[in-house]
């Protein structure tokens, strides 16, 4: 169908088309009077309609036509115009007068408008005149307590005798925003103080002091612009001369990170009392971290020092490597094996070891000490290695030197935790206070008498008092008898003395740990561990890495300090 031909048949179509083609209204063809539109054409338009079609649209005033002063006077923001090198006042609007009072025109701003000096604008006005570029100051507080964001824009003032240089000052009142921002900052400061207080209260208030190690630690929260994280450290005396050392970092910031840190640290101390290998402690800790918060992860290193072995046995859950400096200054990294962070689950952690001989220093730390923006993490660790290689002195001195060398200041952008331990090389009279003696036992009926004779001779040579000598011999006899009855060869009796305690330990090849129980009157056995628990200051047992177990007990020397790990 031809829609053009079909539509042409509609009533009025031809008349409208003719009106469009033959009678287009232009201004020069407008009739002089309404109703004068007569003509010979058949398509004439009524006068009223012609007026409607031909009148021009009302003209909108341009910006150039607006009265400038009247516009500026009505602006609620503060507006001022100054000119010349003395910044003489050329104009202030009504809002400016309401805020600071009338300002005389032509007077220098330094004398007539002291508020500009209070707001720090005079040097800025000089900069704007020199550079011919606008400058802005955000949220400046005036003498009356109101806050303003001020923009200074260069303008041409050609009518001034000083030349064409002028500055338009536009100050928007942002008092409400400034007060809201200050309340927010106060709230953040309060939350940060709460987090710092919680963090410090959950860290050890006083480090335990192992017999064979010297330790020092440092915790420094991030600067005022950084939220507190969940860094922590701990030193745990396990008994039998062994010491656990822990450092960790909870991902995240604020009170929640500090609270999770406290739960993990408490759990570590509880698991340490089980005297488990490091990787088993991390395995338990991993499960607990998932129960606390499945979305929260943490890194941790758990290490155990045994003075009889001369090494650190450790396990790492995504944490930075332990650094060990030997007596000659050579630094090694304990970076294998390393598992994923705590809270990820599904991973079997493994233990590794690194030598910690007499004269060595080990450092455990969190990433705040070595991690920097725009710098590879390995570079930070390498820098720490170089600083450690030349660091000598007490653990506290080494700790302070490492922190200074890393450039950590009060406004550092992250938490920093450092734990330094030293295994001193003892010589002279000091070495006489640390002695070891061991006897291999093959079993049989002669093992118990040999053990008693050996213990008696060693304790006599160490010049122990008679009472302590007799208690040590009795303890050695009972532990060996228990091992002969319930354990398997090979067996070893080890005696160790420190400056504070006597340690008696027996190892054998059976991994069933002894339990203290109450023997019935008719029982011929079952009293050995009960006797040990009665006469010793503390006692305990653990499984050894190669299979088997070790059972130990301690006696505090006169003037010594008891171990907190007693069972």
């Amino acid at each position: 169908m031809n829609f053009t031909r079909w539509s042409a048949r509609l009533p009025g179509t031809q008349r409208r088309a003719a009106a469009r083609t033959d009678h287009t209204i232009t201004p020069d063809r407008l009739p002089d009077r309404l109703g004068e539109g007569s003509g010979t054409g058949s398509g004439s338009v009524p006068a009223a309609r012609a007026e409607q079609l031909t009148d021009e649209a009302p003209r909108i005033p341009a910006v150039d036509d607006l009265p400038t002063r009247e516009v500026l006077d009505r602006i609620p923001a503060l507006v001022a115009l100054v000119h010349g090198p003395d910044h003489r006042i050329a104009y202030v609007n009504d809002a400016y007068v309401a805020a600071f009072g009338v300002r005389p025109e032509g007077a220098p701003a330094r004398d007539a408008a002291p508020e500009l000096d209070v707001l720090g604008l005079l040097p800025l006005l000089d900069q704007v005149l020199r550079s011919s570029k606008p400058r802005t100051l955000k949220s400046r507080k005036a003498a009356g307590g109101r806050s303003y964001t001020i923009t200074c824009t260069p303008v041409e003032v050609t009518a001034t005798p000083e030349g064409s240089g002028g500055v338009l000052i536009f100050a928007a009142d942002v008092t409400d925003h400034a007060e809201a921002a200050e309340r927010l900052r106060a709230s953040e400061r309060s939350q940060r103080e709460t987090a710092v207080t919680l963090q410090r209260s959950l860290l050890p208030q006083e480090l335990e002091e192992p017999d064979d190690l010297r330790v020092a630690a440092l915790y420094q929260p991030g600067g005022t612009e950084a939220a507190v994280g969940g860094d922590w450290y701990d030193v745990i005396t396990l008994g039998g001369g062994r010491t656990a050392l822990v450092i960790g970092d909870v991902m995240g910031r604020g009170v929640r990170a500090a609270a999770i840190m406290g739960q993990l640290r408490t759990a570590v101390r509880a698991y340490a009392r089980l005297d488990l290998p490091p990787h088993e402690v991390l395995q338990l800790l991993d499960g607990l971290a998932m129960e606390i918060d499945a979305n929260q992860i943490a890194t941790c290193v758990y290490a155990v020092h045994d003075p009889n072995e001369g090494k650190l046995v450790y396990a790492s859950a995504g944490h930075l490597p332990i650094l060990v400096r030997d007596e000659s200054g050579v630094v090694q990294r304990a970076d294998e094996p390393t598992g994923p962070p705590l809270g990820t689950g599904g991973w079997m952690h493994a233990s590794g070891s690194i030598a910690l001989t007499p004269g060595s220093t080990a450092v455990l730390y969190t990433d705040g000490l070595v991690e920097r923006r725009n710098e590879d993490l390995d570079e930070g660790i390498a820098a720490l290695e170089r600083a450690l290689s030349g660091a000598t002195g007490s653990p506290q001195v080494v700790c302070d030197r490492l922190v200074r060398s890393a450039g950590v200041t009060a406004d550092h952008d992250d938490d920093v935790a450092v734990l330094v331990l030293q295994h001193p090389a003892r010589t002279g009279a000091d070495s006489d206070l640390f002695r070891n003696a061991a006897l291999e036992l093959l079993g049989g009926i002669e093992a118990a008498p040999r053990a008693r004779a050996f213990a008696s001779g060693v304790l006599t040579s160490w010049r122990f008092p008679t009472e302590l000598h007799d208690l040590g011999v009795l303890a050695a006899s009972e532990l060996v008898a228990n091992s002969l009855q319930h354990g398997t060869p090979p067996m070893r009796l080890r005696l160790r003395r420190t400056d504070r305690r006597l340690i008696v330990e027996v190892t054998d090849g059976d991994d069933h740990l002894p339990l203290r129980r109450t023997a019935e009157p008719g029982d011929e056995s079952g009293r050995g561990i009960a006797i040990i628990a009665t006469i010793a200051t503390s006692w305990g047992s653990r499984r050894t890495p190669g299979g088997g177990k070790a059972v130990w007990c301690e006696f505090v020397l006169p003037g010594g300090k008891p171990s907190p790990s007693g069972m």
Side-chain angles (χ1 to χ4, degrees):
M1 178 181 292
N2 190 326
F3 285 96
T4 304
R5 294 180 57 192
W6 175 77
S7 62
R9 297 174 185 173
L10 295 176
T13 302
Q14 295 177 356
R15 183 170 64 252
R16 287 192 296 270
R20 286 194 300 269
T21 57
D22 298 335
H23 297 279
T24 302
I25 303 299
T26 60
D28 59 336
R29 297 177 60 185
L30 284 174
D32 295 334
R33 296 184 303 274
L34 293 177
E36 189 180 294
S38 62
T40 58
S42 61
S44 60
V45 181
R49 185 168 179 183
E51 182 182 30
Q52 179 181 358
L53 293 176
T54 58
D55 280 350
E56 289 184 347
R59 184 175 179 276
I60 301 175
V63 174
D64 294 340
D65 299 329
L66 296 176
T68 304
R69 185 178 186 108
E70 183 178 348
V71 171
L72 293 178
D73 282 341
R74 294 182 180 182
I75 291 178
L78 280 60
V79 179
L81 178 63
V82 298
H83 61 82
D86 293 336
H87 311 303
R88 296 181 178 275
I89 298 174
Y91 166 78
V92 292
N93 72 345
D94 293 344
Y96 194 105
V97 172
F100 299 115
V102 177
R103 295 293 178 257
E105 294 185 4
R110 185 177 298 277
D111 301 328
E115 64 277 359
L116 299 183
D117 192 16
V118 173
L119 291 168
L121 286 184
L122 296 181
L124 190 68
L125 295 176
D126 294 334
Q127 293 179 20
V128 172
L129 282 180
R130 288 195 302 268
S131 65
S132 296
K133 294 181 180 180
R135 296 285 189 272
T136 299
L137 292 178
K138 293 185 178 180
S139 191
R140 288 297 180 95
K141 182 171 288 189
R146 308 295 293 179
S147 296
Y148 300 93
T149 290
I150 306 163
T151 299
C152 298
T153 306
V155 295
E156 291 185 3
V157 188
T158 56
T160 61
E162 291 85 355
S164 61
V167 180
L168 181 68
I169 303 170
F170 185 93
D173 192 326
V174 294
T175 304
D176 292 343
H177 296 285
E179 290 176 351
E182 181 56 36
R183 289 193 296 270
L184 179 60
R185 286 192 292 268
S187 175
E188 291 175 346
R189 285 194 298 268
S190 176
Q191 292 183 14
R192 184 180 183 279
E193 291 172 1
T194 300
V196 170
T197 302
L198 177 61
Q199 178 94 348
R200 290 192 181 281
S201 66
L202 293 174
L203 290 173
Q205 303 305 301
E206 184 178 351
L207 290 178
E208 295 183 14
E209 299 177 5
D211 293 359
D212 295 272
L213 298 177
R214 296 174 183 167
V215 295
L218 176 145
Y219 169 74
Q220 180 170 313
T224 55
E225 298 299 323
V228 177
D231 296 15
W232 94 92
Y233 55 82
D234 211 347
V235 177
I236 308 168
T237 303
L238 300 178
R242 301 164 70 248
T243 306
L245 306 123
V246 194
I247 198 162
D249 185 2
V250 177
M251 301 298 104
R253 303 293 178 89
V255 174
R256 178 165 181 77
I260 292 176
M261 176 275 288
Q263 296 179 71
L264 294 179
R265 176 178 173 258
T266 301
V268 168
R269 294 192 69 87
Y271 297 149
R273 299 304 179 204
L274 301 176
D275 217 341
L276 300 172
H279 66 276
E280 293 188 24
V281 171
L282 290 191
Q283 208 71 47
L284 293 172
L285 205 59
D286 182 45
L288 177 64
M290 294 184 66
E291 292 180 9
I292 294 174
D293 187 344
N295 298 318
Q296 185 72 60
I297 62 174
T299 63
C300 180
V301 167
Y302 181 89
V304 175
H305 174 252
D306 188 338
N308 298 315
E309 303 294 335
K311 62 183 179 181
L312 274 179
V313 180
Y314 68 91
S316 174
H319 203 79
L320 299 173
I322 301 172
L323 302 182
V324 177
R325 174 189 182 274
D326 64 18
E327 196 170 14
S328 62
V330 177
V331 178
Q332 291 184 324
R333 293 189 191 184
D335 52 6
E336 292 292 341
T338 299
L342 303 173
T344 55
W347 182 269
M348 294 299 295
H349 291 274
S351 293
S353 65
I354 187 170
L356 189 71
T357 56
S360 297
T361 300
V363 179
L364 292 76
Y365 52 96
T366 57
D367 57 1
L369 185 65
V370 295
E371 191 173 29
R372 298 292 180 271
R373 295 177 182 177
N374 304 321
E375 184 177 305
D376 188 77
L377 182 60
D378 283 336
E379 294 179 7
I381 298 176
L384 182 62
E385 287 180 339
R386 292 191 294 271
L388 177 60
S389 66
T392 57
S394 68
Q396 189 60 59
V397 171
V398 172
C399 192
D400 293 340
R401 289 187 60 181
L402 295 181
V403 171
R404 285 197 304 270
S405 69
V408 177
T409 59
D411 58 351
H412 196 59
D413 60 359
D414 195 5
D415 288 19
V416 174
V418 185
L419 179 62
V420 176
L421 57 128
Q422 290 180 343
H423 187 187
R426 296 181 173 90
T427 58
D430 192 27
S431 64
D432 292 337
L433 301 178
F434 292 82
R435 298 288 190 90
N436 282 284
L439 174 66
E440 301 292 339
L441 298 170
L442 301 178
I445 58 174
E446 75 283 355
R450 285 189 61 204
R452 285 193 293 271
F454 175 78
S456 179
V458 169
L459 297 179
T460 299
S461 67
W462 289 348
R463 299 179 180 179
F464 280 162
T466 302
E467 181 180 2
L468 186 57
H469 171 279
D470 294 342
L471 290 175
V473 172
L474 177 59
S477 177
E478 291 295 335
L479 290 179
V480 168
N482 184 77
S483 181
L484 288 171
Q485 184 171 358
H486 302 287
T488 59
M491 291 179 286
R492 171 186 287 182
L493 168 65
R494 174 178 287 156
L495 302 176
R496 174 172 174 77
R497 73 153 296 167
T498 69
D499 58 343
R500 286 178 270 182
R501 71 195 81 243
L502 166 66
I503 303 168
V504 182
E505 182 180 83
V506 174
T507 59
D508 63 51
D510 187 88
D511 60 2
H512 290 85
L513 301 180
L515 296 175
R516 181 180 178 180
R517 64 186 181 88
T518 302
E520 297 296 331
D523 291 344
E524 296 182 357
S525 62
R527 295 180 175 83
I529 297 299
I531 293 174
I532 294 296
T534 301
I535 65 173
T537 306
S538 60
W539 73 280
S541 62
R542 69 179 187 280
R543 292 186 174 89
T544 52
K549 66 176 180 295
V551 185
W552 55 268
C553 66
E554 293 181 351
F555 298 89
V556 175
L557 303 183
K561 186 162 59 175
S563 168
S565 63
M567 299 178 62

